[in-house]
Amino acid sequence: MNSVSKYVIYGPGGTLKRMPGQLFDSIEPKYLYKYDSSKHNDTIHVAVYEEYEKQINASVTLTCIITFTGKKTRFEIKKTGGRMGFRGSSLDEEKRTIDDEVVDFILDFAKRFGLTIQEEKEKVKEPEEDNS
């Protein structure tokens, strides 16, 4: 299971630039940092979402790094915290988590405005065979 989701979105610069602001208005982060590059036209947002899950008595943190470069926007989403392992059937599987909401917003926004979205998958390195 990969704990980092990466999406690259292509489209008009004005629409891509509005996307982070609308995400933060729709789903308010606990912490938010914005960096504007003076040399380039790049903008980087780092948003941290925190959600307490009462059933497992643990906090889940979602870090979302959004990089706007003028021609594309890149989302890197990393979920941390919570508890791992077998918990039986006590958890409600119907409950939507914060990472589901953020990913759904990204996909919905891209669909509504006709943007091209591409999910980046991590390349799995195959072990090299020793032919000596």
Side-chain angles (χ1 to χ4, degrees):
M1 182 179 134
N2 190 3
S3 63
V4 178
S5 301
K6 297 177 183 178
Y7 299 95
V8 180
I9 303 166
Y10 300 94
T15 305
L16 293 174
K17 196 166 191 159
R18 281 194 324 248
M19 192 174 188
Q22 289 191 4
L23 171 64
F24 305 144
D25 289 343
S26 175
I27 308 167
E28 188 174 342
K30 184 160 183 147
Y31 302 102
L32 179 63
Y33 175 76
K34 180 180 178 184
Y35 170 76
D36 286 318
S37 175
S38 58
K39 292 184 179 182
H40 308 289
N41 193 19
D42 298 351
T43 304
I44 300 173
H45 291 87
V46 179
V48 178
Y49 296 94
E50 190 174 51
E51 179 178 62
Y52 179 73
E53 293 186 8
K54 190 173 184 179
Q55 293 110 338
I56 62 173
N57 193 25
S59 291
V60 175
T61 303
L62 184 77
T63 304
C64 184
I65 302 170
I66 306 166
T67 308
F68 170 72
T69 60
K71 296 181 181 179
K72 66 181 178 180
T73 298
R74 179 184 169 109
F75 281 83
E76 291 185 44
I77 303 168
K78 170 105 172 127
K79 183 177 180 180
T80 57
R83 290 193 178 164
M84 303 295 284
F86 180 74
R87 299 275 304 163
S89 60
S90 64
L91 294 178
D92 184 15
E93 295 296 325
E94 299 294 320
K95 185 179 181 301
R96 292 182 43 83
T97 59
I98 191 70
D99 57 326
D100 292 336
E101 291 181 32
V102 171
V103 170
D104 285 349
F105 176 87
I106 294 168
L107 297 175
D108 182 54
F109 188 93
K111 185 177 179 181
R112 278 188 291 137
F113 290 98
L115 305 174
T116 303
I117 188 165
Q118 177 181 357
E119 183 175 1
E120 291 183 348
K121 299 286 186 184
E122 291 292 320
K123 294 180 183 177
V124 178
K125 293 184 179 181
E126 295 181 17
E128 295 179 16
E129 294 182 19
D130 189 20
N131 294 333
S132 353

